[in-house]
Amino acid sequence: MLAIRGLRHDYAGRTVLAIDAWDVPQGEACVVLGPSGSGKSTLLALIAGLLTPTAGTVTVAGREIAALAPAERDRFRARHVGLVLQTLHLIGVLSVDENLRVARELAGLPADVGTLDATLAALGIGALAGRRAAGLSVGEAQRVAIARALVNRPRLILADEPTAALDDESCEKAVRLLRDQAAACGATLVVATHDQRVKPHFARALAL
Amino acid sequence: MVRLAWRYLAARPLLTALHIVLLALGAGTIALLLLFTGQAEERLERDARSVDLVVGAKGSPLQLILSSVLHADVPTGNIPLEAVERLAADPMVAEAIPISLGDSYRGFRIVGTQPAFLALHHAAIAQGGIFTGEMEAVLGAQVAKRTGLALGATFAGSHGLAAAGGATHGDHPYKVVGILAPTGSVIDRLVTTPLESVWEVHGTHGAAPQAREVTAVLLRYRTPIAAAVLPRRINATTALLAASPAYEGARLMNLVGVGVDALGVFALVLMASAALSVFIALTSALQERRYDLALLRMLGASPAKLFVLVAAEGMTLVVAGVILGLVVGHVAAEALGRWLAASQTWSLTGIAWAPGEAWLAALALVLGAATCAIPAILAYRRDPASVLLER
């Protein structure tokens, strides 16, 4: 599913990330561990096609991301990659279901109510559908962010520091939720974090 | 993206409303000025088109035209009837139509004249017929509508031309024998009657012919050369004043135009300020919404879609402002017109389009597009990764 070869990314004249080789099969869940500034977020951005590597290749579902034309890369990411950001970031002026609808529409998929409701229900937040995103609690917003990452049934889910600022119990729930939902849609899951509490949940790990 | 743009606008209702109101003030002012000047020029042209020259008592040429052609000012004085007869006999004059002013009915001027006055204004009888004898009156369409007078009704004029009127000539009532069809010209607001009626009311009917007076005479030239010769001759060799409606009308519009131009500049400054305000709002919104924009790129939105998002937000403000401005301008024109109508001196309507309004709308849209362009391009060029990787 995910294959990295000779990857290097420089920023301001300094190499911020270097990975010789890394493979993650389809449907697997793995964690990328490292302290702040080790390049975890940069790695996720490279995998998602938001950054172009200085050297090397990143191949997702058989497609070399950096070789795609910009418009094709955007379409590929919209359709096949779900992203959960550290800041979660929902579009506050939209409602919960509208945040999911935007993700569907940008992927060129029908934004039917059934799909949106089913995705929200799977995460136990069906009742929040009409609520304005700006008014959600942190826990609710996290679930909505995960729902948005899942709504297009992506092949790859990338989560950047999903447990930041969570207590132990919430951390456990968040990680389990991500793993369960990724497994439910057969997606590969990559979690980037400096949080050592996350490591025991994953058999496969990459240290930066 | 357009729906999202509208949500952003709706999320800040006060700011959005202020932008739209500011734009509307500018656009509405310009629309009102276009309606006013357009209709004023049209009216001047329409009311004066059949009159080549007006001759009256010495005084202000503009006042003579305003009082005798547009019926919007007090006359400069009276002239002897024999002056009319001399002018009518002049080989350069095709037609000479005398008018006598001085009385009114409920603010509508009573004009003593000849039947040719009606033909001069291309008036057609809608009911009844043209006056043939003394104290018979033909009402303009607006007069009949506002006063409720019908065929056969009688009324008494008041001395003076103001709406309030002066002493009533109750012992000399008029009888309505005809009502005109609407013409859209000044005659709609006049009561016409034979010259003899005015003399009868003022007690000069029985006077010697050389003692009878009229207010002015409206002339049509027989030959084009008369335009160059006749006014100069009259002004230089007689005790009369000759004034050209075309010339004085143009002069009036020039005088009015100074004020109109100043207001127009003010309105343009208003619109430019509003556009600048929209530009500032969009540019600052880019910074506030950098995560939203980066998120949309992350979700697969192309840079072009972000361009559309920002542009849609700005153009929505501009379009709403222009539409509101046009509506406000027309409503204001209609309200002003109704207020002016009470004095029966000027007409203005908001239920009409001024030719320049299409240009106003086009200019506003171009201005709006220019305002949105820079913020939209900035959104287009923004790098999502740099925002998403911020801590």
Side-chain angles (χ1 to χ4, degrees):
Chain A
M1 170 64 205
L2 175 62
I4 291 175
R5 296 287 180 270
L7 183 67
R8 191 182 94 241
H9 189 70
D10 297 342
Y11 179 73
R14 186 173 71 86
T15 299
V16 296
L17 179 71
I19 299 174
D20 284 333
W22 189 42
D23 293 279
V24 183
Q26 178 68 43
E28 291 272 318
C30 63
V31 60
V32 176
L33 280 167
S36 296
S38 59
K40 302 185 297 299
S41 299
T42 302
L43 174 61
L44 294 192
L46 287 166
I47 295 172
L50 291 169
L51 280 176
T52 303
T54 308
T57 61
V58 177
T59 304
V60 177
R63 309 286 297 273
E64 190 189 330
I65 297 299
L68 297 175
E72 207 180 343
R73 204 183 309 154
D74 290 339
R75 281 195 297 272
F76 183 86
R77 180 173 61 251
R79 184 62 190 89
H80 298 296
V81 181
L83 274 152
V84 181
L85 301 172
Q86 178 182 356
T87 51
L88 302 176
H89 211 78
L90 304 175
I91 300 177
V93 297
L94 298 179
S95 64
V96 167
D97 58 349
E98 284 172 337
N99 269 271
L100 270 61
R101 182 186 299 274
V102 166
R104 292 284 290 179
E105 287 174 351
L106 288 174
L109 297 171
D112 56 287
V113 174
T115 304
L116 303 181
D117 286 349
T119 306
L120 292 174
L123 283 127
I125 50 172
L128 299 181
R131 283 260 300 269
R132 201 148 167 258
L136 299 176
S137 67
V138 171
E140 289 170 339
Q142 187 179 56
R143 285 176 178 254
V144 174
I146 294 172
R148 184 180 60 198
L150 293 169
V151 73
N152 295 337
R153 298 193 69 80
R155 301 183 67 175
L156 174 63
I157 299 172
L158 305 173
D160 189 10
E161 302 283 4
T163 61
L166 294 182
D167 58 34
D168 290 350
E169 188 185 343
S170 301
C171 169
E172 175 98 12
K173 282 182 181 173
V175 174
R176 200 169 288 149
L177 186 65
L178 271 171
R179 288 206 59 156
D180 291 345
Q181 294 301 320
C185 60
T188 302
L189 173 64
V190 176
V191 174
T193 184
H194 68 274
D195 189 348
Q196 294 294 330
R197 297 174 300 174
V198 174
K199 189 179 175 187
H201 294 274
F202 295 88
R204 186 184 286 270
L206 173 70
L208 293 181
Chain B
M1 292 294 113
V2 175
R3 199 167 45 214
L4 180 55
W6 292 347
R7 283 303 187 88
Y8 280 130
L9 290 173
R12 295 171 134 183
L14 181 60
L15 194 60
T16 298
L18 282 173
H19 283 133
I20 292 174
V21 165
L22 202 54
L23 280 162
L25 275 175
T29 304
I30 294 176
L32 179 60
L33 291 175
L34 286 173
L35 285 167
F36 178 79
T37 55
Q39 288 178 34
E41 281 175 0
E42 197 184 310
R43 183 191 161 176
L44 279 171
E45 193 273 334
R46 191 178 55 231
D47 290 349
R49 64 184 164 194
S50 300
V51 180
D52 294 324
L53 194 69
V54 181
V55 178
K58 282 283 191 202
S60 158
L62 184 58
Q63 184 182 355
L64 178 62
I65 299 300
L66 285 173
S67 61
S68 302
V69 176
L70 301 180
H71 296 272
D73 198 356
V74 294
T76 52
N78 289 334
I79 58 174
L81 180 63
E82 63 182 358
V84 178
E85 289 157 358
R86 276 202 307 274
L87 285 167
D90 193 302
M92 287 193 176
V93 174
E95 191 173 25
I97 303 172
I99 60 171
S100 266
L101 305 174
D103 290 343
S104 62
Y105 175 66
R106 289 173 60 181
F108 294 103
R109 295 187 175 201
I110 296 174
V111 181
T113 186
Q114 296 168 347
F117 181 81
L118 304 185
L120 195 69
H121 288 283
H122 308 282
I125 291 285
Q127 297 177 50
I130 297 178
F131 50 77
T132 55
E134 283 176 33
M135 306 316 294
E136 290 185 350
V138 171
L139 308 181
Q142 283 292 319
V143 180
K145 187 177 171 187
R146 295 242 177 92
T147 63
L149 289 170
L151 285 180
T154 60
F155 63 93
S158 303
H159 192 68
L161 301 175
T168 304
H169 301 294
D171 51 341
H172 290 93
Y174 291 91
K175 181 180 174 186
V176 178
V177 299
I179 296 175
L180 298 174
T183 63
S185 70
V186 65
I187 203 171
D188 290 348
R189 300 189 303 279
L190 300 177
V191 176
T192 50
T193 188
L195 273 172
E196 290 76 9
S197 305
V198 177
W199 294 331
E200 177 69 23
V201 167
H202 290 93
T204 58
H205 194 186
Q210 56 269 28
R212 289 193 217 145
E213 293 181 329
V214 295
T215 304
V217 58
L218 311 177
L219 303 182
R220 283 197 309 108
Y221 295 141
R222 193 186 299 281
T223 67
I225 196 105
V229 173
L230 197 58
R232 199 189 308 258
R233 179 170 22 108
I234 293 171
N235 285 324
T237 64
T238 72
L240 304 172
L241 169 67
S244 160
Y247 178 81
E248 295 304 324
R251 207 162 71 88
L252 177 63
M253 289 311 298
N254 275 342
L255 288 171
V256 170
V258 171
V260 167
D261 286 349
L263 277 175
V265 167
F266 170 70
L268 283 173
V269 169
L270 259 183
M271 287 190 73
S273 301
L276 185 62
S277 160
V278 169
F279 173 80
I280 292 171
L282 285 178
T283 309
S284 70
L286 274 185
Q287 183 57 21
E288 288 169 16
R289 292 184 212 148
R290 62 187 188 281
Y291 286 113
D292 280 9
L293 296 175
L295 176 75
L296 289 169
R297 288 284 286 118
M298 182 194 82
L299 291 174
S302 62
K305 281 204 160 74
L306 297 195
F307 182 97
V308 167
L309 174 64
V310 175
E313 195 172 336
M315 289 308 293
T316 298
L317 290 173
V318 170
V319 170
V322 168
I323 291 175
L324 179 63
L326 289 176
V327 167
V328 166
H330 280 256
V331 167
E334 186 65 20
L336 185 59
R338 290 188 186 202
W339 180 70
L340 286 172
S343 60
Q344 279 95 44
T345 54
W346 201 261
S347 65
L348 180 65
T349 178
I351 310 174
W353 289 105
E357 285 185 280
W359 286 108
L360 169 63
L363 173 68
L365 289 175
V366 167
L367 188 66
T371 300
C372 303
I374 292 177
I377 290 169
L378 288 176
Y380 178 93
R381 295 169 66 174
R382 189 158 288 219
D383 170 27
S386 62
V387 176
L388 293 172
L389 294 178
E390 278 179 23
R391 286 288 181 265

